[in-house]
Amino acid sequence: MVRGRRRTALTGILLALSMVAAACGSSDDGTAGGGSETTAAKSTDSGVKKGGSIAYAAEQEPTGFNNLTSKDNLAELRHIMRNIWPAAYLARPDFSVVPTALLDGEAKVTSQSPFTVEWKINKDAIWSDDVPVSADDFEWVYLSCNGKVDPGEPTVKNDKTGAAETGLDCASTAGYDKVTKFEKVDEKTVRMTFDEPYVEYEGLFGDPMPPSHIGRPLPDGWNTGFDKDPMVSAGPYKLKEYVKGDHFTLERNEKWWGEKPNLDTIVFREIPDPATHPDALRNDEVQVIYPQPQTDLLTQVSEIPGVEHELNFGPTWEHLDFNFKNPLLAMLEVRQAIAYGVDRDRYVNTLMKPFSDKAKRLDSRVFMSNQPEYVAHGKEYAVRAPEKATAALEKAGFTKGADGIYAKGGKRLSFRLRVKSPNPLREQMEQLIQADLKGVGIEIKIANFGDPDTIGSIGAAGDFDLFIFAWVGTPFEVSAAQQTFDTASDSNFGKYSNPEVDAAIKKASTILNEGDRADQLNKADVLMWEDLPNLPLFQKPVGLLAYKSTYANISDNTTSEGLFWNSSKWGLKAAAQ
Amino acid sequence: MLAFTLRRLAVSIPVVIASSFIVFVLVATAGGDPLADLRLRPGISEGTIELRRKQLHLDEPVLQRYGNWATAAITGDLGKANGGEEVRPLLVRRLGVTLRLVVFATIIAVILAVFIGSMGAVKQYSKFDYTATFFAFVFFSMPVFWLAAILRDVGIRINTRIDRHIFFVVGEQTPGLGGGFLNVQADRLGHLILPSVTLILISMASWSRFQRGSMLEVLNADYIRTARAKGVSARRVLFRHALRNALIPVVTIVAIDFATILGGAVITETVFGWTGMGRLLVDGLKASDVNVIQAWLLVAAVLVISFNLAADLLYGYLDPRTRTT
């Protein structure tokens, strides 16, 4: 059964990865579906023949194969591993979530108090070395990612606290750390009991899981056991060849119990510079590319004969952040003046419309405009209103100086605006914002930074007044909201704090009913539009998908799954050679 | 000669040590945090961050880290990259890629530069000289990425026109290519052509100008006039007396340039999707990956020292007066 309105799932790793990726302006937000969903995708197999190969231009080289470790938690590794190791859930382009062929139906909540969930593994699920995929594999993931020191686990001493902590490297403990009891009901059933209702339980086991029968006996198996080889497969494809620094080749896994993939092989070619991808496609050295969208790449791709392309606005959203540590920006009227003073529609028209006419202003912090739960709460700031901006400032006691800049008590409204450069889009946006705010008596000084500083390091240090970067909205809206706006979150760079908002989001995290949960989150968003912790600007296209038109069923998935979400269905058109 | 070589090598060791120390400290203290992105992720436990910090030895003082690195490096252990990969095989692989790209290109570029430069000097102000000068300045002033992009486009157009894959624009080889040894080698050659032509044209442009200038100077020297007056054949004057001496300045330039290119033909590698030394350095810097940068530095330093030494030794061969005993 597929529930229509369920948020997309996949684990907190996905959330984590996508947020970091967007923040860093990289393309770390894709993943591979591996064609492992049980329900038919939007694409069909009609007119597709079996056989053939496809080469994909990959920007990243894997560091190892255990995508659940923070070390190997790279987007394009997910693309590969989604096809090789089993995962329980798949997020679809419409933000719904479906269980994969790994499960025998959905995970079921068997008890509300204590909150208990049960996963049943498909009886046919088997590793390529004929060992069944079992509760042991789930248990290994749980033990490695619960953040606790379990018996027999390696430990490290935390220098700050002196405590011994787990020596297992897990990219995200989200959800697993709330489990109070893990049970292997039988070989194919696991049950987990949580310390409180955990509504995003579908994210658990949503990433490719390593084979426990191979990894557990190895010394340091979780951390390094799969550094060179995934060993076995329980997905539609298995690794055929790996030439480090050059390419991977996947071939069909004959032991795969799900829908057989159409293509014989998928080749992941390491081509680090996305600017070269269109020419590689044009020269037929790769047949599918998915670089970060840039207008020149879009132009190039659209001029290549025999190539289809699509560009969709995904959950990556740009925003203007305020640093509440700055006493001036801590004043609501100043933030309001900025919000009234900028022309968000102009930024959309200037920066996003060249990509697609579908671009539009974003007026929510908790849902994306292509989600049904989206409510545009920011309409008050939809149109640039200089008179409202100046009125807000004057109401707060600011007066306009001779230089046209407002000031109060000798403090001028002059702020440092930062982006990580080079980033032409954000740098152009800075110019527009600077001009707009000058018109309302606020001075903007552009103070960009580059490597080795990162958005994370600058944000964590609070070294900004105004800051433009992007988060990725995900199906885990509650986790995302908590991470971004909760008072205690390290990623709340601006140090915004409103106990009411914290409580509202916290409450949402306990609501199982999806509609009610969405309502609760929207209430939090309304509160935040009153506070203006930041100013949402617009969604960005996630990736520029382009592929040879001799192939069928290739389609984008703007959730963190990326384009490999249905790779089993990819194939050469029946008429193609 | 042996003593000279050993002495030069001995002098180089402190240079390598000092440069490795300076670079290590600079990278380790520059403010880049290899765990910055990790810290941003929700759900990452303190324990995981602590674990990664310890795995990367970020919890140790910089001097201690350098000491550990240097001690291990002497034994050939260059440590692990931030991603956990052993640096030594990574370095060997990347150096292999760059070597394949630049050795062939440099040999061709040197031969062409010496020929064109010498011919230009011998036939000064001829059509050949003017043509060679024109193209040398064109390629010398053309940005590498621009030339590479043009060549890439031309290659694709030719492929399209003849409906065959003669030129390849990304990578070093076609993955999983079968068809036997010859087919694989032909494929590799196809991948090599465009990046090599890029490097050849750029390198040749400057080297040919050096060669021309040097050759002109030698051809106008008294001893050449004397040799001609004594009735030495024009061929012998040109090759035995003039060319040999005129090569000395070019040898210096080529030696230094070659060492630099081996450190990474960053732009050419990037445009043609080759993952060589240049890419290694860029990626290492982006990730504040001190072990990777150190490894790159070691190779670059050794190459520069080696080729400078080779140049000195070549002087001795080309000009016996400079030989040291």
Side-chain angles (χ1 to χ4, degrees), chain A residues 157 165 171 173 244 282-283 285, chain B residues 43-44 47 54 153 165 169:
Chain A
K157 185 185 167 192
E165 296 187 345
T173 56
K244 209 155 173 48
R282 182 174 154 220
N283 205 32
E285 291 179 65
Chain B
I44 287 267
K54 286 182 185 292
D153 187 64
H165 255 123
V169 298

Side-chain angles (χ1 to χ4, degrees), chain A residues 20 24 61 70-71 73 156-157 159 165 167 171 173 244-245 269 273 276 279 282-283 285 483 491 493, chain B residues 37-38 40-41 43-44 47 50-52 54 83 85 93 152-153 159 165 167 169-170 173 270-271 275:
Chain A
V20 171
C24 297
E61 180 184 25
S70 64
K71 174 174 75 69
N73 194 216
V156 290
K157 185 185 167 192
D159 290 341
E165 296 187 345
T173 56
K244 209 155 173 48
R269 298 194 61 179
D273 183 8
T276 63
D279 271 350
R282 182 174 154 220
N283 205 32
E285 291 179 65
Q483 193 231 357
S491 301
F493 295 147
Chain B
D37 287 343
L38 200 62
L40 268 180
R41 302 177 190 176
I44 287 267
E50 188 67 10
L51 178 67
R52 290 299 305 281
K54 286 182 185 292
E85 186 179 0
R93 199 171 65 240
R152 205 170 60 184
D153 187 64
N159 284 344
H165 255 123
F167 301 105
V169 298
V170 287
Q173 57 191 335
T270 302
V271 173
T275 48

Side-chain angles (χ1 to χ4, degrees), chain B residues 116-158:
Chain B
I116 291 169
S118 301
M119 281 291 286
V122 171
K123 296 180 181 294
Q124 193 181 12
Y125 304 133
S126 64
K127 282 184 182 172
F128 176 86
D129 188 29
Y130 281 126
T131 308
T133 300
F134 172 77
F135 281 107
F137 280 118
V138 166
F139 293 125
F140 189 66
S141 43
M142 190 178 276
V144 182
F145 76 89
W146 182 245
L147 175 63
I150 288 174
L151 289 174
R152 205 170 60 184
D153 187 64
V154 169
I156 295 172
R157 284 175 191 274
I158 292 173

